[in-house]
Amino acid sequence: MNEKYNVLSAICEEAENIKISEENKDILNYQFVSALYGKELIKFNIDWFESLLRKMRNGEI
C-alpha cells in the first residue's frame, strides 16, 4: 500500500506542474482528481491498518 501511495503522490505532484492546452484541461483535471482520490483513499487505509495493528500489539483488541 505504501508503494502505491508513493506512486500516486508522484503522479499528483507531476500533474500540478504540467502545462496543458485549454482543450485538454478537463481530461487532465479528471485524471488528476482520480489520482488524488486514490492517494487519499490509500492513505486512509494505511493509517487505519497501522492503528489497528498498534491496538492489537498493545492488547487493546
Side-chain angles (χ1 to χ4, degrees), residues 27-45:
I27 294 169
L28 179 66
N29 284 338
Y30 176 78
Q31 292 172 337
F32 174 67
V33 297
S34 294
L36 187 58
Y37 171 76
K39 179 184 126 178
E40 291 179 5
L41 181 63
I42 289 172
K43 180 63 175 154
F44 170 82
N45 284 314

Side-chain angles (χ1 to χ4, degrees), residues 11-12 15 17 20-21 23 26 28 34-35 39-40 43 45-46 49 55 58 60-61:
I11 290 170
C12 289
N17 298 318
I20 192 156
S21 68
E23 176 181 316
D26 288 343
L28 179 66
S34 294
K39 179 184 126 178
E40 291 179 5
K43 180 63 175 154
N45 284 314
I46 290 169
F49 281 110
K55 289 176 183 177
N58 290 335
E60 298 172 37
I61 295 178

